[in-house]
């Protein structure tokens, strides 16, 4: 689009997303992109989809946490927030998407909202609610592996 | 200063995240407080006060009855507010909605509409206004897309129109049962704007949980 006059070029905003899910089951980039586009179409239809955009530009994921930058049209940030609020699953598995901030450039988005202290996840056996369980610990967060449904806890809950 | 937003959560063992994890996540998402919808089945530790202190949020130990028929709840209601700063009763059918709206001992008529249930009736909204019962505007079912959502959206839009017209008190929540389901106040505000619940109404409804609890804790009148 290098030849477009400046006043006709599309204007963007960049959303910094935090991604959470059950340990070891975080979605990959394609799954998150697919979930975002599906949610966008379900909520706002084809016309809204074309207007908002929602393209994943950066994606990093570790065992329990990930982060992404998503590009949206400058005048559609509110709609993008609404759409992201409706995403509950990616690739069939539960996922939590949090919007950490909005910037006018990718670089500002990276610097202000992403790459925060990446504490490594640790695997351990903990006692929760009177029962020993395997758990993944990262900072305050403790994810307990209990049967088919993992349980989210914190260091306050375990002994 | 705008009043703090609250989210009203379902914690372990009914939900899949503990109060502590829900509160920690809510703090990151921008909430100033959390209502635990029903504290009766929680593990003994950690104490609610310890969670509130660790994560710096107001945590309200609520109670939420979920009766199948009105008779199941009527005997319990008068005593609940002495023990809990927030008393909710789940509705969802026309009969239970009408019953709950007529109870001055109830703070919140929770889930007055459900995916699969009937429209909320204007007469019930007037009854709730007369008895100072706040009606919940439930945004949680919007997390699940699919065939039922259009149907639910129609009931949600109608609920807001009825609530607004009756001038009845209301609260807003996405009722997370897991920390993964917590959406920040700005996301819910934007979502409300898209689906027909004005953004300012979402703000007011999220803050109203906190002022309701405060009213009961101090034994005073509604601010």
């Amino acid at each position: 689009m290098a030849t477009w006059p400046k006043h006709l070029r599309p204007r963007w905003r960049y959303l910094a997303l935090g991604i959470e899910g059950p340990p070891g089951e975080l979605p990959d980039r394609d799954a998150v992109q697919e979930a975002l586009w599906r949610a966008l179409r379900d909520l706002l239809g084809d016309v809204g989809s074309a207007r908002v955009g929602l393209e994943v530009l950066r994606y990093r994921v570790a065992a329990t946490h990930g982060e992404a930058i998503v590009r949206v049209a400058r005048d559609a940030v509110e709609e993008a927030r609404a759409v992201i609020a409706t995403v509950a699953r990616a690739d069939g598995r539960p996922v939590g998407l949090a919007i950490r901030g909005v910037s006018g450039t990718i670089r500002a988005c990276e610097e202000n909202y992403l790459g925060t202290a990446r504490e490594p996840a640790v695997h351990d056996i903990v006692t929760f609610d009177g029962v020993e369980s395997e758990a993944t610990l990262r900072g305050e967060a403790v994810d307990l592996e209990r049967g088919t449904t993992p349980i989210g806890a914190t260091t306050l809950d375990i002994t | 200063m705008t009043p703090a937003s609250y989210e009203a959560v379902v914690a372990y063992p009914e939900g899949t995240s503990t109060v502590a994890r829900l509160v920690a996540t809510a703090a990151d998402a921008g909430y100033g407080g959390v209502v635990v919808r029903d504290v009766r089945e929680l593990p003994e530790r950690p104490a609610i006060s310890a969670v509130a202190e660790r994560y710096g949020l107001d945590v309200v130990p609520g109670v939420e009855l979920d009766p199948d028929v009105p008779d199941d709840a009527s005997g319990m209601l008068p005593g609940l507010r002495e023990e809990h700063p927030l008393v909710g009763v789940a509705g969802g059918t026309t009969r239970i909605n009408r019953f709950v709206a007529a109870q001055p001992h109830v703070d919140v008529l929770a889930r007055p509409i459900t995916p699969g249930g009937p429209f909320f009736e204007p007469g019930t909204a007037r009854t709730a206004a007369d008895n100072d019962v706040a009606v919940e505007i439930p945004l949680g079912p919007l997390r699940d897309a699919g065939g039922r959502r259009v149907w639910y959206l129609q009931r949600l839009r109608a609920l807001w129109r009825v609530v607004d017209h009756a001038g009845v008190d209301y609260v807003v929540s996405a009722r997370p049962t897991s920390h993964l389901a917590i959406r920040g106040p700005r996301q819910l505000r934007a979502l409300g704007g898209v689906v027909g619940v004005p953004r300012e109404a979402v703000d007011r409804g999220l803050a109203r949980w906190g002022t309701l609890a405060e009213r009961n804790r101090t034994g005073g009148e509604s601010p």
Side-chain angles (χ1 to χ4, degrees):
Chain A
M1 290 198 185
T3 59
W4 284 55
K6 207 165 185 184
H7 62 284
L8 290 179
R9 275 178 223 164
R11 302 284 179 166
W12 305 108
R13 285 287 180 269
Y14 300 90
L15 308 187
L17 295 192
I19 300 156
E20 266 199 280
E25 293 190 20
L26 259 68
D28 63 17
R29 177 185 180 133
D30 288 349
V32 167
Q33 180 69 80
E34 160 75 22
L36 286 170
W37 278 341
R38 181 189 297 263
L40 177 57
R41 243 176 103 141
D42 282 346
L43 196 66
L44 302 177
D46 288 347
V47 175
S49 299
R51 218 167 71 73
V52 177
L54 270 187
E55 192 175 336
V56 176
L57 298 185
R58 299 271 194 284
Y59 195 84
R60 281 190 294 265
V61 69
T64 61
H65 268 63
E67 48 189 37
I69 294 180
V70 175
R71 189 178 74 172
V72 305
R74 186 171 66 174
D75 59 358
V77 173
E78 280 292 290
E79 284 108 314
R81 285 184 185 280
V83 168
I84 290 166
T86 67
V87 176
R89 307 178 83 79
D91 204 11
R93 288 186 285 256
V95 69
L97 302 179
I99 300 176
R100 293 196 193 148
V102 182
S103 295
T105 65
I106 295 175
R107 187 166 156 188
C109 198
E110 291 261 13
E111 286 174 0
N112 293 331
Y113 304 115
L114 300 181
T116 46
R118 314 201 67 204
E119 298 162 72
V122 185
H123 213 72
D124 204 352
I125 307 270
V126 301
T127 303
F128 169 73
D129 205 9
V131 182
E132 284 200 340
S133 299
E134 288 196 44
T136 307
L137 296 87
R138 182 181 174 277
E140 287 274 308
V142 177
D143 289 287
L144 298 143
E145 286 148 44
R146 280 263 176 108
T148 50
T149 319
I151 292 167
T154 79
T155 50
L156 271 185
D157 296 304
I158 57 170
T159 47
Chain B
M1 201 185 124
T2 50
S5 297
Y6 282 62
E7 178 56 293
V9 305
V10 177
Y12 175 88
E14 195 190 343
T16 56
S17 298
T18 63
V19 171
R21 185 65 173 271
L22 289 161
V23 169
T25 308
D28 286 344
Y31 287 98
V34 165
V35 174
V36 182
R37 286 187 184 247
D38 199 338
V39 294
R40 289 175 300 172
E41 302 291 322
L42 296 185
E44 271 179 35
R45 296 194 321 161
I48 294 274
S49 56
V51 174
E53 193 175 328
R54 171 80 72 101
Y55 301 110
L57 258 61
D58 180 27
V59 184
V60 179
V63 61
E64 188 174 290
L65 306 183
D66 191 359
D68 291 327
V69 290
D71 290 351
D72 292 351
S74 47
M76 295 177 70
L77 288 173
L80 284 174
R81 211 183 253 160
E82 282 156 34
E83 290 170 47
H84 301 280
L86 205 72
V87 177
V89 180
T93 66
T94 301
R95 184 162 170 238
I96 297 190
N97 284 347
R98 281 183 191 154
F99 163 76
V100 179
Q103 305 299 318
H105 297 290
V106 172
D107 296 305
V108 174
L109 165 55
R111 286 174 279 156
I113 52 168
T114 59
F119 280 92
F120 188 69
E121 296 190 336
T124 309
R126 288 193 294 273
T127 308
D130 291 343
N131 291 289
D132 209 9
V133 175
V135 176
E136 182 182 3
I137 312 284
L139 299 181
L142 301 179
R143 277 191 303 260
D144 300 307
R148 280 271 171 195
R149 195 164 67 170
V150 175
W151 209 84
Y152 185 75
L153 280 167
Q154 290 173 332
R155 275 134 190 92
L156 181 64
R157 299 175 79 93
L159 172 66
W160 168 251
R161 286 199 307 274
V162 165
V163 162
D164 190 34
H165 186 258
V168 63
D169 204 0
Y170 58 89
V171 291
V172 171
S173 169
R175 197 174 187 271
T177 61
S178 155
H179 65 283
L180 298 176
I182 289 180
R183 303 290 178 266
R186 296 189 67 176
Q187 272 65 267
L188 295 186
R189 180 175 204 269
L191 183 57
V194 166
V195 301
V197 182
R199 297 192 289 176
E200 310 72 55
V202 174
D203 289 342
R204 268 201 305 276
L206 293 174
R208 188 61 180 137
W209 294 100
T211 52
L212 280 174
E214 187 58 29
R215 173 190 75 180
N216 294 343
R217 280 162 165 165
T218 56
E221 283 302 301
S222 180

